[in-house]
Amino acid sequence: MAQYCGYLPEFEKAIKKRKQLADDLEKARRQLSKEQSKSPEDPSGIERAEQDVQYAEDAHNTLNRTLIAEIPKLINTRVYVTDPSFEAFVKTQLQFFSDSLQNMAVVQQRLPSVGGPGDDSVLDERIENVMSQVRSLNICTLNV
């Protein structure tokens, strides 16, 4: 997982560099249009500006193609990283809760039993008694 997360800053740097190259390309294009409008009879300035634009386009397009090819690969590899981690997490939880259940069963066996099958009726009577008291309160009746 740490190795996978280590790739993310590299991609962030590459994306920032692509943004910077796009800005450089726009700057070179503005410089070319400025040279073309400034002095059409001086071809050396225009040629130099065209070369700058071509260089900026090549650099931007190369990095852009690389990112377009590599980012989907990075996204697809996350499945191979997260699936085993999630599986290990679920297995760890299963082990923990199984152990806890076994420990609680031991504790339950050590506790004295509270009663037999008749205890449910006593508990039901107590619950019904409390519910009748709640029903008798004024806050439980609707005066519509």
Side-chain angles (χ1 to χ4, degrees), residues 47-100:
E47 287 177 20
R48 187 178 63 240
E50 287 174 347
Q51 289 175 352
D52 290 344
V53 168
Q54 186 63 37
Y55 177 76
E57 280 180 350
D58 290 344
H60 179 265
N61 290 339
T62 301
L63 184 57
N64 194 40
R65 279 192 301 271
T66 303
L67 285 174
I68 288 172
E70 294 298 321
I71 288 177
K73 291 178 186 176
L74 176 71
I75 291 171
N76 289 336
T77 59
R78 73 173 180 204
V79 173
Y80 300 113
V81 172
T82 56
D83 276 354
S85 299
F86 183 71
E87 183 178 349
F89 175 68
V90 169
K91 286 181 179 179
T92 303
Q93 278 189 323
L94 176 65
Q95 185 64 41
F96 172 76
F97 289 117
S98 296
D99 292 345
S100 298

Side-chain angles (χ1 to χ4, degrees), residues 29-43:
R29 286 180 180 161
R30 283 193 304 269
Q31 185 66 29
L32 175 63
S33 68
K34 187 177 182 181
E35 285 290 329
Q36 287 174 340
S37 65
K38 183 175 139 184
S39 59
E41 56 272 339
D42 184 22

